[in-house]
Amino acid sequence: MGEIPRSDGANDAVHRKLRRAIERRQSAYLWTPSDAITFVPRLLPTIYGNGRALFALSTINQRPAYWVIRACSTWGCGLDREDSDGPDFAEMTDDILTDLEDAFGDGRCGYSGNSLFWSKRERIRDCQCEECSDRFKARWPMVDGSGGCSWSRIDWPKGFETVPNPLCPGGNLLATNLEGGTHG
């Protein structure tokens, strides 16, 4: 597969508006309400392709917290991947996780692979490198991608002009007639 077309959302008005809409404190749980966490979803600064589709991505170790990915409307996802003109989201996850780590930090020791979310005591049992011996403890939105990730299409928040996604009933698309709002 060739290079993924991508751009930086810093100067994109739609991306800035999306960040304000997405990055708000919320509570979520994976299995039971008593295990709920409070977190702020984060928007990846990178825009892939035309940036008209949104996906939520969560690492297995950090569920239910998630990042929002602005991706190309041609990308498939799950059951609709055969009908799409672009790659399946699953094929892009390694590159996306790398971009998330570049944007928010890697929550894994580069030497041992220990989670930097663990306490110093837990980390130095297996590794005494500088990273594990430091008092620093990783915090959200740093990425702990060990163990993989899960993802799904999501709808654009209220306040954005959207159109139905022709590939599936969920995960609407940003309309194309916006000035400066789409990339292609």
Side-chain angles (χ1 to χ4, degrees):
M1 176 180 304
E3 181 68 21
I4 303 168
R6 61 183 86 205
S7 59
D8 182 358
N11 295 320
D12 184 285
V14 170
H15 207 70
R16 288 192 307 269
K17 180 180 176 183
L18 180 61
R19 178 172 284 113
R20 289 189 303 273
I22 295 288
E23 294 185 356
R24 297 174 183 257
R25 184 173 303 281
Q26 64 176 267
S27 180
Y29 63 89
L30 185 58
W31 303 113
T32 63
S34 63
D35 294 327
I37 63 166
T38 301
F39 73 104
V40 176
R42 298 299 299 268
L43 177 63
L44 178 64
T46 304
I47 300 170
Y48 300 99
N50 63 25
R52 294 180 55 217
L54 293 182
F55 292 86
L57 182 142
S58 181
T59 65
I60 299 304
N61 294 329
Q62 294 172 283
R63 297 175 300 174
Y66 62 91
W67 297 268
V68 173
I69 312 303
R70 191 168 163 202
C72 192
S73 61
T74 65
W75 289 11
C77 183
L79 295 176
D80 65 42
R81 69 180 169 256
E82 300 299 324
D83 298 327
S84 69
D85 293 332
D88 184 38
F89 190 90
E91 298 171 23
M92 314 312 291
T93 57
D94 286 343
D95 289 325
I96 292 169
L97 285 169
T98 298
D99 288 344
L100 284 167
E101 290 169 356
D102 289 346
F104 300 111
D106 186 354
R108 285 278 166 174
C109 169
Y111 180 72
S112 66
N114 279 345
S115 175
L116 299 177
F117 289 87
W118 298 343
S119 69
K120 177 182 174 181
R121 179 186 296 161
E122 292 172 300
R123 294 190 312 242
I124 62 173
R125 281 189 303 209
D126 300 322
C127 181
Q128 286 77 42
C129 77
E130 186 176 305
E131 214 171 4
C132 287
S133 299
D134 191 7
R135 289 185 187 265
F136 168 79
K137 187 174 179 186
R139 297 195 183 287
W140 174 262
M142 290 182 78
V143 181
D144 181 350
S146 176
C149 61
S150 60
W151 57 88
S152 63
R153 291 185 184 278
I154 59 173
D155 283 330
W156 281 79
K158 290 180 182 172
F160 290 88
E161 187 178 343
T162 61
V163 296
N165 189 329
L167 296 174
C168 66
N172 58 15
L173 301 175
L174 185 66
T176 58
N177 58 348
L178 302 172
E179 290 184 36
T182 61
H183 297 18

